[in-house]
Amino acid sequence: MESAHPFRQHAEAVISRIAPWRLLPPLLAVCLGLWGLERGGSMWRDESVTWQVAHRPLGQIVELLGRVDAVHGLYYLLMHGVFEAWEGGLWALRLPSVAATALAAAGVAAIAHRLVGERAALLAGCAYAVLPPVQMYAQEGRSYALVAAAVVWATYLMLRERWAAYAAVLLLGCWLHEFAALALLAHAFTAWRSRGWRWSAAAVVALLVPLAVVSARQAEQQLGWLGRPSWQDWAAYAVVGAAALLLARGAPGDLVRVALPLVLLPPGLLMVISLLNPWYVDRYVLYALAGLALLAGARLATARGWWPWLLAGALLVAFGFWSVWLRTPESRKDDALAVAAAVRERARPGDAVVFMPARRREWLLSSPEVYGELRDVALDRTPEASHSLQGTELSPERIRAALPASPRVIALLDPAGQPLDPYPREAVKREELAARFDLCSTTEVRGARIAVYARPGTCP
């Protein structure tokens, strides 16, 4: 027992030397990330893509990336390794994002400590952790939290002038999602005079070219669903930008030169580009919020009087309600697991299933025990066989011939009011169901409709 004392004393000494600004931000991020991690047992369609792609054999993943989704390729390979090591369900799907968010919060604190001090470091790191969009993607099985962590730590390495490490970490972020390269524009405001930064930036761009070339060929298929930024997107950008400009007033100049470009430039440039080529989604530049957290932490660290803290408290209360909502299935566009459960309740042996549009096949691909019991009458080649995300479908003529042979059809559709795909295959599905079947029931599920059709006169 005596021999344990020196070890315990050493551990206590190490713990006592850990400053609160190092420990509390990542700890807060972990606690928020684990809170309600399963989100009521829900999984929306983007996470479903991660799930089913990551569960494919390694060779099939590589073949898929040559055709589509190369921009997410490194993330899929990472998640493939996670599921190989631990088949942990929704926890395995989302824990990498929780860990990445904790790492990003620690990085924000480290930047603030270097530029301002310990008090600002603690406040900035915690501010990042509590921002609702950060909490949202901390609990999502997609790459955005990992990209944010890479950009944040690349920013810190830039300040330390560790150029080889800077290039490696930022390149990792870019290969997780290539729009991380927009952080180079923000970093240029701080480090453009440094020859080390210029060489590092050139190396990142050069080594990103292979991914950019492949993903550019896939851009129409990958981003064709996007429209130009909405007025809500511009309004959100204006609010965040105005808040950043207000917080920057009176903040240390070195911090402003790092934080303000990070807040404004990546999302602003992507939105302007999207007026010509619609590429903007706010999660693609989630890392920009690190700049807002830096400014907020620095401002609170030097706050005088009661009103800044009153405002911060009011925001925390609002964020609390937002945070509760983010941990519900209703916070996402749809719920693939709820769709699968509803289909399971309605399906009978021998039923056919048809997806309208075909890309909604994703709702069942992550629930093979449900999908496998149905006949996918429009399917030509499976996702694995076709090296695609949702498989390929029969020609319109073959779909027209196959559908009437089914006594009952379960159709999975977008919510009412969504635009109908004009493609011939989708038109044939609608026409055949309307002409040859009776609509027995329609059930609304989060972000989806499940319609049951039967031959005339056979609805229960």
Side-chain angles (χ1 to χ4, degrees):
M1 297 296 294
E2 292 292 331
S3 62
H5 290 168
F7 176 79
R8 185 170 63 246
Q9 291 171 357
H10 176 70
E12 291 173 351
V14 170
I15 293 173
S16 68
R17 288 197 295 268
I18 298 177
W21 69 267
R22 295 181 187 274
L23 181 63
L24 291 182
L27 181 61
L28 176 61
V30 168
C31 291
L32 290 172
L34 297 180
W35 166 35
L37 183 64
E38 292 188 347
R39 218 165 52 237
S42 64
M43 178 170 65
W44 80 291
R45 60 179 176 255
D46 276 17
E47 290 184 298
S48 178
V49 173
T50 298
W51 178 276
Q52 62 99 354
V53 171
H55 278 87
R56 295 187 190 185
L58 192 59
Q60 289 187 10
I61 296 176
V62 174
E63 290 174 340
L64 167 75
L65 300 178
R67 295 172 178 260
V68 68
D69 248 9
V71 66
H72 298 299
L74 182 58
Y75 178 68
Y76 291 150
L77 294 173
L78 168 66
M79 293 307 298
H80 176 81
V82 169
F83 286 120
E84 283 287 305
W86 177 43
E87 193 58 65
L90 293 174
W91 283 74
L93 178 67
R94 294 172 183 155
L95 276 179
S97 294
V98 174
T101 302
L103 190 63
V108 170
I111 294 168
H113 179 258
R114 183 167 184 83
L115 295 176
V116 185
E118 290 193 8
R119 183 178 173 86
L122 175 62
L123 292 168
C126 290
Y128 181 81
V130 303
L131 287 171
V134 171
Q135 292 187 55
M136 180 175 183
Y137 294 107
Q139 295 191 326
E140 194 147 293
R142 297 297 276 175
S143 65
Y144 310 112
L146 284 74
V147 174
V151 171
V152 166
W153 279 101
T155 305
Y156 175 75
L157 292 166
M158 174 190 70
L159 297 174
R160 295 288 305 272
E161 297 186 355
R162 303 290 179 83
W163 298 120
Y166 166 83
V169 172
L170 187 56
L171 183 63
L172 174 64
C174 292
W175 272 82
L176 285 166
H177 196 287
E178 59 192 305
F179 286 165
L182 295 172
L184 285 169
L185 300 173
H187 293 166
F189 273 77
T190 303
W192 69 273
R193 292 183 178 180
S194 168
R195 179 178 297 178
W197 179 82
R198 293 198 294 269
W199 279 106
S200 298
V204 170
V205 172
L207 294 172
L208 185 59
V209 165
L211 176 61
V213 169
V214 174
S215 60
R217 293 201 298 263
Q218 301 173 356
E220 183 175 353
Q221 182 179 5
Q222 189 76 39
L223 301 173
W225 60 276
L226 287 174
R228 290 176 174 78
S230 66
W231 71 265
Q232 293 97 330
D233 293 323
W234 288 106
Y237 177 73
V239 169
V240 171
L245 291 169
L246 287 172
L247 291 169
R249 294 180 60 186
D254 289 345
L255 181 86
V256 171
R257 281 189 291 273
V258 172
L260 198 57
L262 191 58
V263 177
L264 298 178
L265 288 182
L269 180 61
L270 191 57
M271 292 178 78
V272 170
I273 291 173
S274 294
L275 295 175
L276 300 176
N277 293 302
W279 290 349
Y280 177 78
V281 180
D282 57 358
R283 58 183 177 266
Y284 293 169
V285 285
L286 176 69
Y287 56 83
L289 292 177
L292 184 66
L294 286 167
L295 292 168
R299 189 61 180 268
L300 281 174
T302 59
R304 297 292 182 268
W306 55 269
W307 70 267
W309 294 100
L310 181 63
L311 178 60
L315 284 174
L316 282 177
V317 171
F319 287 176
F321 286 106
W322 196 347
S323 298
V324 171
W325 177 73
L326 286 173
R327 287 156 177 84
T328 66
E330 289 72 29
S331 63
R332 271 49 172 195
K333 289 182 179 180
D334 58 11
D335 184 353
L337 298 184
V339 171
V343 170
R344 183 189 293 112
E345 292 177 1
R346 288 154 182 78
R348 297 178 183 176
D351 279 357
V353 64
V354 63
F355 301 89
M356 303 166 60
R359 58 183 176 274
R360 297 298 174 249
R361 188 171 280 106
E362 190 55 57
W363 284 330
L364 292 189
L365 290 178
S366 52
S367 299
E369 72 285 356
V370 176
Y371 182 48
E373 294 180 355
L374 300 168
R375 294 184 302 107
D376 190 344
V377 291
L379 184 67
D380 182 18
R381 302 178 68 199
T382 66
E384 293 83 359
S386 60
H387 312 308
S388 64
L389 292 176
Q390 286 92 29
T392 58
E393 294 203 331
L394 300 169
S395 66
E397 294 74 19
R398 293 180 66 188
I399 293 175
R400 191 183 300 277
L403 262 175
S406 305
R408 273 179 30 119
V409 178
I410 297 178
L412 274 61
L413 306 97
D414 281 334
Q418 294 293 313
L420 300 176
D421 281 23
Y423 309 121
R425 288 181 177 87
E426 303 303 331
V428 163
K429 295 173 192 175
R430 294 192 294 267
E431 291 166 4
E432 288 299 308
L433 288 173
R436 300 178 181 272
F437 293 85
D438 288 343
L439 176 61
C440 301
S441 67
T442 302
T443 304
E444 300 280 345
V445 181
R446 177 63 187 169
R449 285 182 297 155
I450 300 170
V452 178
Y453 290 86
R455 288 180 180 171
T458 62
C459 283

